[in-house]
Amino acid sequence: MNKITAAITAVGAYVPDFVLSNQILETMVDTNDEWITSRTGIKERRILKDADKGTSYLAIKAAEDLITKANINPLEIDLVLMATATPDMQVSATGAYVASQIGATNAFAYDLQAACSSFLYGMSTAAAYIESGRYKKVLLIGADKMSSIVDYTDRTTCIIFGDGAGAVLFEPNHEGLGLQDEYLRSDGVGRDFLKIDAGGSLHPTTIQTIEEKRHSIRQDGKTVFKYAVTNMADASEQILKRNNLTNEDVSFLVPHQANKRIIDATASRMNLEESKVLMNIEKYGNTTSATLPLVLNDFEHLFKKGDTIIFAAFGGGFTWGSIYLKWAYNKQ
């Protein structure tokens, strides 16, 4: 019997309607369009304005988009993996709620959190379940309502993040397509450089933590940028070397959309031409767990069966890595 590999067979996505442009941000904090664009590549980001809707809403919409486009029965889904850094609430798994809401009542579900690397790690997890032969359909969703943890008086972070969700379906493949290799890493040295300080078990919520705005995301921008540039590029280079791939072999790079300069550095290290580097950061900003599937959804029309696609991401913790995947279908 041929070896089972885990292939992406469908994609879906959702972004909210409200567009938070650089021009609007100029009225909120001391910044301007030229400064934001030159340093990040971001022009606008989508924001879920409804106060009564959380990350689950985004995830459900993305999953429903995939289910509709792929014409699959939700009852056939075996597992729902929810990659997110902004679950609806603590303890109660957002993934379990999402699975129930989309009708995947035969599936088990749970959340996976590795900051901006959540979806990348989720790809590895989904593939392992498929390759084991135990499950046939694994739905991986990357979704974050980053606006729920951003301080819109902090100009260093509010310009970066947006809300959104994307989903992919992993299924068994016997043609050698799908996930080929992974190079995943982490280093706890990053714990203090990109975080939400309060609200966890180390610093539980108090009146003081709220007054001090310790429940919003903070980062040491220069340190995070330095680590991200080095490690995302290194991981991508390592995955090529390990698989004896050259820049000519790579069809597309699907990088985490955090900062255009980080993406450019990674592409340069891989010696890739611009047309192979997929970016939509100017439209959505950094949607954390949703960036990779949003890129897949936006550029799905370009992919051909057998294409070599390299994924790369870097996130808080620190977490980072790269995945080598062969695309499994042509879009109808």
Side-chain angles (χ1 to χ4, degrees):
M1 191 172 84
N2 290 343
K3 179 179 181 289
I4 298 172
T5 51
I8 292 174
T9 58
V11 301
Y14 175 77
V15 291
D17 293 330
F18 181 80
V19 176
L20 178 59
S21 65
N22 290 349
Q23 286 72 25
I24 295 175
L25 280 172
E26 289 177 0
T27 69
M28 298 166 62
V29 290
D30 182 16
T31 192
N32 60 72
D33 174 66
E34 191 280 329
W35 193 93
I36 296 171
T37 304
S38 65
R39 284 162 177 79
T40 68
I42 302 168
K43 284 288 188 183
E44 54 191 40
R45 55 298 285 140
R46 300 299 185 95
I47 303 296
L48 182 59
K49 299 286 281 186
D50 309 61
D52 62 340
K53 292 183 173 68
T55 294
S56 63
Y57 176 81
L58 302 168
I60 290 164
K61 290 294 229 182
E64 288 176 342
D65 181 51
L66 182 150
I67 288 166
T68 300
K69 289 195 299 188
N71 192 29
I72 65 167
N73 183 350
L75 295 174
E76 296 178 354
I77 297 171
D78 300 305
L79 165 63
V80 175
L81 285 172
M82 181 73 195
T84 185
T86 56
D88 281 6
M89 58 186 76
Q90 295 190 52
V91 181
S92 181
T94 301
Y97 177 72
V98 170
S100 295
Q101 292 299 112
I102 64 173
T105 53
N106 291 323
F108 71 104
Y110 61 89
D111 297 355
L112 188 157
Q113 204 281 83
C116 293
S117 300
S118 296
F119 191 86
L120 190 79
Y121 283 19
M123 290 176 67
S124 171
T125 307
Y129 278 113
I130 294 292
E131 290 165 2
S132 74
R134 191 170 292 175
Y135 303 109
K136 304 297 185 187
K137 284 183 168 61
V138 176
L139 179 65
L140 171 62
I141 306 169
D144 272 303
K145 184 182 178 182
M146 292 304 292
S147 60
S148 68
I149 58 171
V150 166
D151 175 4
Y152 284 95
T153 66
D154 176 16
R155 66 176 183 171
T156 65
T157 55
C158 74
I159 64 170
I160 299 169
F161 297 103
D163 303 338
V168 301
L169 184 69
F170 275 93
E171 294 185 275
N173 184 277
H174 298 278
E175 301 175 274
L177 302 172
L179 198 147
Q180 306 293 310
D181 194 18
E182 61 186 41
Y183 181 84
L184 305 178
R185 292 292 182 268
S186 63
D187 188 341
V189 71
R191 179 180 170 97
D192 291 326
F193 299 119
L194 179 53
K195 63 180 179 178
I196 295 176
D197 184 55
S201 60
L202 186 61
H203 301 295
T205 304
T206 65
I207 292 174
Q208 183 178 352
T209 63
I210 294 171
E211 290 176 344
E212 293 174 351
K213 295 186 176 182
R214 292 168 63 190
H215 296 267
S216 298
I217 191 167
R218 306 291 180 194
Q219 71 170 352
D220 178 336
K222 289 182 179 179
T223 302
V224 173
F225 181 83
K226 181 181 71 173
Y227 274 91
V229 166
T230 302
N231 289 310
M232 212 165 108
D234 178 64
S236 303
E237 188 176 46
Q238 288 296 325
I239 206 81
L240 295 185
K241 286 182 178 178
R242 281 177 22 162
N243 291 279
N244 297 313
L245 298 171
T246 69
N247 61 324
E248 294 297 324
D249 298 317
V250 176
S251 305
F252 297 102
L253 171 67
V254 176
H256 171 51
Q257 309 286 301
N259 185 302
K260 186 178 183 296
R261 291 188 293 170
I262 297 173
I263 297 171
D264 289 343
T266 301
S268 176
R269 185 90 158 263
M270 297 171 70
N271 196 25
L272 289 182
E273 57 192 76
E274 190 175 335
S275 62
K276 292 184 175 184
V277 184
L278 304 183
M279 279 190 277
N280 56 13
I281 189 172
E282 73 282 353
K283 295 192 297 181
Y284 307 131
N286 182 354
T287 54
T288 304
S289 307
T291 65
L292 298 182
L294 282 175
V295 170
L296 289 181
N297 186 75
D298 280 3
F299 294 97
E300 183 190 17
H301 62 283
L302 296 180
F303 304 149
K304 299 292 185 287
K305 186 175 179 179
D307 277 356
T308 292
I309 300 178
I310 303 298
F311 295 80
F314 181 89
F318 290 129
T319 59
W320 71 93
S322 183
I323 282 178
Y324 161 32
L325 177 137
K326 283 193 171 293
W327 198 249
Y329 65 94
N330 296 316
K331 187 178 180 183
Q332 298 299 317

